[in-house]
Structures are given as C-alpha cells and as structure tokens.
Amino acid sequence: MISRRHSVFFKLHAFFLLALIVLILLFISALHEQERQKFHLLTHRSMELSRIIDETKTKTCMEKNHELSEAGFKVLEAKTPRCEALKLPLPMQSKLRSRNVQVTIYKDDIGFIYELSEGRCTMLYRDTAEGKTYYFVWFLFFALLGGLVSMYLLLWRNLKPLKHLYHQIQRYGEGEEMHHRTPSNGKDEIALISNALYDALEKQNKLKKSRELFLRNIMHELKTPITKGKLIVELEEPSPNRNLLAKLFSRLEHLIHQMADIEKMHAFSLTKKPHRLDIMIQSAMDHLMIDNETVHQSGCEQIVTVDEALFTSALQNLIDNAVRHATSLPIEIACDAEHICIRNRGEALKRPVEEALQAFVTERGDGGLGLGLYIAQSVMDLHNFTLEYRYEEETHAFCIRLRERK
C-alpha cells in the first residue's frame, strides 16, 4: 500500500497548493507596489498642478485654464458629495508643503480632485489625464491563476489512470482475472505504459490458460488408467506384487493431486472465505485416512479467512509429514489466535530446512514425493502467512503465523 506522503497525487496537490500560495503572495505584493506607485503619481501631479498655478499668476484666466487643460486638469466649481480626503504618507505631505500652495487630494467615484489653498483663495481641479484603475495586475493574476488551475487539472487527469492501473494490478496479483480493459487513447507516457502493461498481462493470461489446459488434460488422461489399475488390483488375489502395485497406484494418484494443487497455486486463483480451522484439520485427516488417536488437537476452534481447498491441502501435507517422520504418536496440533503449530518427536533433519522446503527434495527412503513441504510453503506465501520451523528437545515444530506479512 502506498503511503500518503509518497503518493504522486499528494505531491501534485502539495505543489499546486505551494504554487497558489506563491501566486497570491506575489499578487498582494504587486497590489502594494501599485498603491505605492499611485501615491507617487499623485504627488507628482499635485506638484505639477501647484507649479502651473505659480507660473500663471500673471496670466489671464483664459490662458491659465488653457495651460491647466493641456496638463490634464479641469477646473471645478465645487467638490462632489461622495468625495473623501486621502490620507497621504508623511514624505508625500512634506513634498506638498515645499511650495506656498497647500494641496489636499480627494477621491470620488470618477477619480481624483485636487484642492489648492493659497491665502484665502481655494481652487478645485480634477485630474482628467489619469485612468480610473490599473487593471494590468488583476488581469495578470487571473491569467496566471487560470493557467495554474488548468495545468493542475490536466496533470491530475493524466495521472488518474495510475490509480485504476494500480488497483487492477493489485487484483490481478491476488488472483482476479482481468476480463476486459478499456485502451487508453492518450499519447503521453502513462497511457503508453498502461496499454503496454495491459497487453503484457493479456499475453500472460493466454499463456496461463494454455498451461492450465495442458496440465488438466494430462491429469485427466492419467486419472483414467490409474483408476482402472486400482480397480484391477483390488480384484487380484492377495500377494506381494498386489500390495506393491496398490502402493504404486496410490503414489501416482497422490502425485496427481499434489500437481493439481501446484497448478492452482500458480494460477493465483485464491478464493478466501471464513472457515472453521478444526473442520479443515479434520478434513485433512480424513484425506490421509488417519484416526483421531494419531493427532492430538488443542485450541483449534477459531475462524480463519483462507482458500479452503489450498489451506486444507497445506495442513494435510504438514500433518502427513509429521506422522511419517514421528518416532512416537500422537503428533500434536496446537492453535491460538495467531499460530497453528504441528509438532512431532523425531530425529533432526539431515539437511537445512530451506532445502526441505524446495520441490522434489525428500529424505532418502522415506516414501515421500518431495512436494509436501513445498506445497505448504507455497500456500502460506499465497496467503501472505509465514511458515516457521523449530527443532528443540528432539521435537519438530512447523508453525503457521496467521498474521499477514506487511
């Protein structure tokens, strides 16, 4: 399972959030800079207005109004009702006091109004050269925000098939077949990887089905002569050869059953459901045709979620291994919430347990096929359980840890 902080989607969301925060901070900074530039412009226009007033003192009103109009100022009779005086920064106020004319700046719905006071005379002018608002910062902000959101949605849409692909591969690994798929029409790397992987899985499914059909046909063809051979042997008179043939046919039949278990394991066709552990143990004993006096059970009444057929086969092989190698009976099966331990007294293994768990490895002359422990280990791996082995005080113990490995 992918942790949240390692997820590509988590990194995408984090990158988008970080970029959004940076964009907002830049926008706020740009607004502050625009406000500062606006005040500088007001100072410049105010000083220009007062300069024109000073320079045109000796001129006629028509000439004065002409120069003011060319500079972008219009004479007003009175202030508008909704104008408000601007609170100017101290450096700007000191600049405006550098001339003999006192300047006050007002803001209304239309623009800026300049009030010039010289002695008892008060004059009002509107600045018609300045635009109402600077829209460039707002336009740039929304353009970048739209681009960022569009890129985020595009990346999220392109990465979204990864989640579906991950769940499909996970289900395939657990044994669920991929019955159909929808090819991706994208041209990016993720779409190409997705299509290539689906093609590879489809080829794998065809190879697996071909192998399953081949093995099932072979096993079916072998079961018929073996069954006929067992019936013929049963009709023969008791003799050493009859007993030998009976053992040979039983051995072949057991080998076919184990090969069927191996074929099912390799097909990944697990069907996990809750089952009573003691019932599965009893079923394994019935298949081995051993009585209850041969096995002593304790604490095996719990429910376990497993593939019944495969898990019963694994228990059967572990019990059979314990009975065949026991120097004294009964063997012991002890269970608790997390373990199933099968113990028997016997001599130490002649080879490391890692070798004994491999296929077709058996103790010389023990009559086994060398597949029992291999099947048990493989079944535990499919269930994500752990098969542990200990040998203490002349006692073998194969313990199944029922908690799944992480």
Side-chain angles (χ1 to χ4, degrees):
M1 187 68 180
I2 301 176
S3 62
R4 181 180 178 84
R5 62 189 182 90
H6 292 143
S7 171
V8 175
F9 292 91
F10 174 76
K11 295 175 183 177
L12 175 64
H13 299 332
F15 174 78
F16 172 73
L17 182 61
L18 179 62
L20 185 61
I21 293 173
V22 172
L23 180 60
I24 291 174
L25 291 177
L26 289 176
F27 174 68
I28 294 173
S29 176
L31 286 180
H32 287 167
E33 179 63 21
Q34 177 179 287
E35 194 68 20
R36 191 176 67 85
Q37 293 294 333
K38 182 179 70 175
F39 278 115
H40 278 292
L41 179 61
L42 290 176
T43 304
H44 174 73
R45 296 290 288 170
S46 300
M47 296 182 69
E48 184 178 4
L49 177 60
S50 60
R51 178 185 61 78
I52 294 174
I53 296 297
D54 283 342
E55 292 177 354
T56 57
K57 284 182 179 180
T58 59
K59 296 184 178 181
T60 63
C61 291
M62 185 176 295
E63 292 174 337
K64 183 185 297 185
N65 289 338
H66 178 70
E67 290 198 19
L68 288 172
S69 177
E70 287 185 346
F73 295 101
K74 177 183 177 182
V75 181
L76 298 179
E77 298 294 332
K79 291 182 290 187
T80 57
R82 299 183 61 179
C83 65
E84 296 180 358
L86 295 179
K87 185 177 181 181
L88 303 177
L90 292 177
M92 186 181 297
Q93 294 179 16
S94 62
K95 286 184 179 181
L96 293 178
R97 285 195 295 266
S98 62
R99 292 183 175 273
N100 296 327
V101 181
Q102 181 182 353
V103 180
T104 305
I105 303 175
Y106 296 91
K107 178 75 170 65
D108 64 2
D109 296 336
I110 301 175
F112 295 101
I113 298 174
Y114 298 90
E115 182 183 73
L116 278 68
S117 300
E118 187 177 12
R120 298 181 180 180
C121 181
T122 300
M123 296 166 286
L124 297 171
Y125 300 91
R126 179 179 296 282
D127 190 356
T128 59
E130 183 184 359
K132 297 180 179 179
T133 311
Y134 293 100
Y135 293 104
F136 175 73
V137 174
W138 287 94
F139 172 78
L140 184 62
F141 170 74
F142 284 110
L144 292 176
L145 180 62
L148 182 63
V149 172
S150 299
M151 183 61 67
Y152 167 76
L153 294 176
L154 180 63
L155 289 174
W156 182 80
R157 181 180 178 184
N158 288 343
L159 291 174
K160 190 177 179 181
L162 282 178
K163 281 189 175 182
H164 180 69
L165 185 62
Y166 169 72
H167 292 304
Q168 287 277 52
I169 295 174
Q170 195 174 38
R171 288 196 294 268
Y172 180 80
E174 292 176 353
E176 182 178 330
E177 292 189 6
M178 299 175 63
H179 298 290
H180 63 277
R181 73 177 181 96
T182 303
S184 177
N185 295 323
K187 301 298 182 182
D188 56 12
E189 292 82 356
I190 294 177
L192 296 177
I193 291 173
S194 175
N195 290 333
L197 181 59
Y198 276 121
D199 291 339
L201 292 179
E202 285 183 356
K203 292 180 181 178
Q204 182 69 20
N205 279 333
K206 292 179 181 178
L207 290 174
K208 184 177 70 174
K209 291 179 179 179
S210 176
R211 186 196 64 200
E212 291 175 4
L213 182 62
F214 175 72
L215 289 176
R216 286 173 183 173
N217 286 336
I218 290 179
M219 288 187 289
H220 176 73
E221 294 298 327
L222 289 176
K223 281 182 180 180
T224 302
I226 290 174
T227 303
K228 291 181 179 179
K230 290 179 68 176
L231 290 174
I232 293 173
V233 168
E234 291 295 329
L235 298 175
E236 293 290 329
E237 296 292 332
S239 66
N241 289 334
R242 176 181 179 273
N243 295 334
L244 181 61
L245 288 174
K247 289 182 179 180
L248 177 60
F249 283 122
S250 296
R251 181 184 178 92
L252 290 174
E253 188 176 37
H254 186 47
L255 177 60
I256 288 176
H257 287 308
Q258 290 192 321
M259 293 298 293
D261 291 338
I262 293 174
E263 184 271 330
K264 184 178 182 182
M265 288 187 299
H266 287 171
F268 301 101
S269 52
L270 289 182
T271 304
K272 291 184 179 182
K273 292 181 180 179
H275 296 283
R276 283 274 300 270
L277 180 57
D278 55 347
I279 295 178
M280 287 190 291
I281 292 175
Q282 186 61 50
S283 176
M285 293 169 57
D286 292 341
H287 290 157
L288 293 171
M289 292 183 292
I290 57 177
D291 52 34
N292 293 332
E293 295 179 356
T294 306
V295 178
H296 177 262
Q297 298 183 50
S298 61
C300 299
E301 293 82 19
Q302 68 264 39
I303 303 294
V304 291
T305 303
V306 294
D307 183 292
E308 182 183 18
L310 281 181
F311 200 78
T312 301
S313 176
L315 292 174
Q316 176 181 331
N317 283 288
L318 289 174
I319 295 171
D320 180 51
N321 179 77
V323 171
R324 284 192 294 107
H325 293 89
T327 55
S328 63
L329 297 174
I331 66 169
E332 180 186 358
I333 302 179
C335 310
D336 57 33
E338 294 186 358
H339 297 87
I340 304 171
C341 288
I342 301 175
R343 300 184 178 92
N344 68 283
R345 297 186 64 83
E347 298 179 359
L349 295 176
K350 297 178 182 179
R351 53 170 57 88
V353 67
E354 291 78 13
E355 291 186 19
L357 293 173
Q358 296 177 8
F360 301 106
V361 176
T362 180
E363 298 291 329
R364 183 175 297 176
D366 69 351
L369 301 172
L371 289 173
L373 293 180
Y374 167 75
I375 291 175
Q377 176 68 66
S378 300
V379 171
M380 296 308 119
D381 289 340
L382 284 177
H383 286 80
N384 209 18
F385 297 159
T386 304
L387 182 62
E388 302 170 346
Y389 171 77
R390 294 189 300 272
Y391 183 72
E392 299 172 350
E393 299 179 356
E394 298 183 354
T395 301
H396 299 274
F398 280 96
C399 294
I400 302 170
R401 179 184 287 272
L402 297 174
R403 180 181 297 176
E404 293 189 0
R405 298 189 297 265
K406 294 182 179 179

